[in-house]
Structure formats: C-alpha cells, structure tokens
C-alpha cells in the first residue's frame, strides 16, 4: 500500500513555499536593483536630483517586484491546473479500475445476459483506456478458451478434423452468444502499440460470424472454424497450423504470410483472398474456391491438395 503524505506536512510545506515566495518578492528586487548608497547620493549636487534618482530607483524595484508577482501568480495557476489534472486523472483511473473489476465479476456470472454485459463493459474500458487494451484482449481471449474449448490431443478430446462438417450445427451466436460476442469484440478492438498476440488455439468457433475481423498475427492452431463467416477478415501472418476452415467464408480475406500448414480448407470460399507468401505445405484445399485469389510466393509440397 502506498503511503500518502500527512495533511499537516503538506500544509507546512505549502506555508513554507508561500513564505519563501513572499520573501523573494520583497528581497530580490533590492538585491538585483540595490538602492543608491549615501556615497553615490553625495556626488549629486542638486537635492531635487537626488530625490528624483531615489524615486526612479524605487520605481525600478517596484516594476521588477510587479513582474515577480505576475510570474508567481502564473506559476500558481500552472501548478493548480497540473494538480487539478492529476486529481482528475487519478479519479478517472479509479473509475476505469472499478469498471474493469465489475466487468470481470460479470464474466463469471451464470446468467448469459450478465456475461454479455461484462464483455461489452470490457470493450468500453479498452476504448477509453489505451493502456488497458492488452489486458482486455488477454481477458477476452481467456474467456473464449475457457467457454469454447476444442481440446485436440486430450485423452477425451474431439477428433480433429471431424469426419464431416456438421451441416445442422447452429450459428455460434445461437449456441454460445457470449463466446460469439467476445470473438467479435476482439476482432474490432482498437489498435494499440503494445498489442499482444491473440492466443486462440484449440477453441471451438464453428459457424462464428466475424466479417472484417482484425486478427493479424493471431495464434489459432488446431482451432475449429468450420463454416465460419469471416469475409474480409485480416489474418495476415496468423498461425493457422492444422486449423479447420472447411467451408469457411473467407472471400477477400487477407491471409498473406499465414502459417497454413496442414490446414483443412476443403470447400472454403477463398475467392479474391490474399494468400501471398502463405505456407500451404500439407494443406487440403480440395473443392476450395480460389477464383481471383492471390497465390504469389506461396509455399507448397507434395502433400498439398488442390481443388480439382
């Protein structure tokens, strides 16, 4: 816990600063513009002239003193504004922290409506506080991994890929509206210089709806995105090793530089998609639609299966 200065100490320091400022106003002009000495005055023959010189010297001191007072007044205004801004920032940070804590509590609620409210509250926190965007993204990613696991490789895990694509499966928004919403919020999160990589490996996002989602560089290894609607999504440089994207809607998507080794893309709509420099070694693109797709500099091998 951070110790705060006692009010008595703050008042004492403030009083000392005020006294020092007043002393400077009174004393400093006499140091910089000292009054004429008796020896200097004795050298002036006219008494009237001596009086005028003393008055002129006093006027110079007073003018300098006025300038000091104006500077100190301006400094007080600046310090007051800075203190006010600091208090405002502290209050704002406190409000954001409170909203984040309340949103986390909502994510753990049994009622789906409350969980949805928590997800949208986190999105609001991310919009209002750039410093908290990486934390919010990590939290929502963990929420998806926990609520929609696809534990490939576990003893009781699912077969990956499944023998067939389940045509009767409902949209993710109907099966798990909270997971769908969290995925959408992640896909439209504001950019942040300190952005962390999204980790969404081994998650079940079948028939997710996330057009134009911003998921560049995301890690989606062994994820199930069969029949997902991700038209125009940005998946540049993403890690999609062994991902299930069968019959996914990826028209116009950006998959440049993506790791698509052993990816399952059978029947996927990749028309006008960019696959430039993508790694397609061992990928299955049987029956995939590739009209207008950019395939420059792709990497393939003997295990790559192309649409016939």
């Amino acid at each position: 816990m951070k110790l705060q200065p006692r009010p008595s100490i703050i008042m004492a320091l403030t009083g000392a600063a005020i006294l020092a400022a007043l002393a400077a106003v009174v004393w400093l002009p006499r140091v910089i513009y000292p009054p004429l000495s008796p020896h200097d005055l004795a050298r002036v023959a006219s008494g009237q002239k001596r009086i005028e010189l003393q008055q002129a010297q006093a006027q110079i001191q007073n003018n300098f003193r006025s300038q000091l007072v104006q500077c100190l007044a301006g400094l007080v205004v600046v310090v007051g504004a800075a203190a006010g801004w600091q208090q405002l920032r502290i209050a704002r940070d406190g409000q954001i922290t409170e909203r984040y804590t309340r949103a986390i509590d909502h994510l753990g609620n049994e009622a789906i409506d409350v969980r949805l409210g928590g997800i949208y509250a986190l999105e609001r926190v991310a919009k209002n506080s750039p410093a908290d965007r990486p934390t919010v993204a990590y939290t929502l990613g963990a929420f998806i991994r926990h609520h929609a696991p696809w534990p490939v490789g576990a003893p009781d895990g699912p077969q990956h890929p499944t023998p067939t694509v389940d045509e009767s499966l409902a949209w993710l928004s109907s099966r798990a509206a909270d997971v769908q919403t969290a995925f959408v919020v992640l896909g439209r999160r504001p950019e942040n210089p300190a952005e962390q990589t999204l980790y969404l490996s081994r998650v079940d996002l079948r028939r997710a709806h996330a057009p134009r989602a911003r998921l560049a560089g995301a890690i989606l290894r062994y994820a199930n995105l069969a029949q997902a609607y991700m038209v125009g999504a940005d998946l540049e440089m993403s890690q999609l090793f062994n991902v299930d994207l069968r019959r996914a809607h990826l028209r116009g998507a950006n998959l440049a530089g993506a790791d698509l080794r052993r990816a399952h893309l059978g029947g996927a709509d990749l028309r006008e998609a960019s696959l430039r420099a993508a790694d397609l070694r061992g990928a299955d693109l049987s029956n995939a639609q590739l009209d207008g797709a950019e395939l420059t500099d792709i990497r393939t091998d003997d295990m790559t299966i192309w649409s016939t």
Side-chain angles (χ1 to χ4, degrees):
M1 179 178 177
K2 186 177 180 180
L3 297 177
Q4 299 293 336
R6 294 181 179 179
S8 58
I9 297 177
I10 296 176
M11 292 180 63
L13 292 175
T14 303
I18 293 174
L19 290 176
L22 292 175
V25 170
V26 174
W27 171 73
L28 196 57
R30 295 179 62 83
V31 173
I32 296 178
Y33 301 104
L36 296 173
S37 66
H39 177 71
D40 293 332
L41 292 174
R43 297 171 59 184
V44 180
S46 171
Q48 181 64 30
K49 190 66 174 177
R50 287 197 294 271
I51 294 174
E52 291 177 356
L53 287 173
Q54 288 177 314
Q55 290 176 342
Q57 190 71 7
Q59 184 63 41
I60 292 174
Q61 292 178 354
N62 288 334
N63 290 340
F64 183 66
R65 189 172 289 111
S66 298
Q67 293 175 358
L68 281 178
V69 171
Q70 292 175 1
C71 290
L72 289 173
L75 182 61
V76 169
V77 171
V78 172
V79 172
W85 171 254
Q86 179 70 5
Q87 291 298 323
L88 181 63
R89 187 183 65 81
I90 292 173
R92 179 178 176 273
D93 289 346
Q95 292 176 351
I96 290 175
T97 300
E98 182 181 355
R99 287 164 55 190
Y100 177 80
T101 303
R102 191 184 308 120
I104 294 298
D105 290 338
H106 289 171
L107 288 184
N109 197 283
E110 295 183 359
I112 190 170
D113 290 345
V114 178
R115 296 198 299 272
L116 288 172
I119 293 169
Y120 286 123
L122 285 176
E123 183 179 27
R124 179 60 63 181
V125 168
K127 287 182 178 179
N128 294 338
S129 176
D132 291 311
R133 288 172 186 172
T135 302
V136 170
Y138 178 84
T139 301
L140 292 177
F143 178 85
I144 293 175
R145 294 194 302 272
H146 177 72
H147 287 268
W150 187 252
V152 179
D156 56 347
Q159 181 178 348
H160 185 82
T162 55
T164 60
V165 176
D166 188 355
E167 299 290 343
S168 63
L169 188 68
W171 286 98
L172 183 61
S173 57
S174 299
R175 293 185 290 113
D178 50 352
V179 174
Q180 164 68 37
T181 301
F183 188 48
V184 169
V185 168
L186 281 177
R188 67 187 182 200
R189 69 196 186 286
E191 294 187 18
N192 186 60
E195 190 169 81
Q196 296 179 344
T197 301
L198 287 180
Y199 184 80
L200 295 173
S201 293
R202 291 178 168 83
V203 294
D204 181 6
L205 295 172
R206 288 174 291 175
R207 302 208 75 180
H209 189 273
R212 294 175 296 280
R214 193 173 66 82
L215 300 168
I219 301 175
L220 289 152
R221 295 186 172 198
Y222 295 95
N224 194 339
L225 288 154
Q227 300 183 90
Y229 187 86
M230 299 177 69
V231 172
D234 183 5
L235 289 158
E236 184 177 8
M237 301 300 295
S238 55
Q239 296 188 32
L240 299 166
F241 179 83
N242 212 332
V243 69
D244 189 349
L245 282 165
R246 289 176 295 174
R247 304 196 63 179
H249 301 269
L250 293 165
R251 183 167 186 168
N254 181 10
L255 291 154
D259 180 1
L260 285 159
R261 289 174 297 159
R262 296 174 56 189
H264 309 279
L265 293 157
D269 184 357
L270 291 164
R271 289 174 295 173
E272 301 172 13
S274 175
L275 290 161
R276 177 175 48 84
D279 192 341
L280 292 165
R281 288 176 293 175
D284 182 358
L285 292 98
S286 56
N287 298 319
Q289 301 178 59
L290 294 165
D291 297 340
E294 183 181 359
L295 301 173
T296 307
D297 298 327
I298 59 172
R299 299 182 66 184
T300 62
D301 60 12
D302 294 340
M303 301 297 292
T304 304
I305 301 175
W306 291 100
S307 178
T308 56

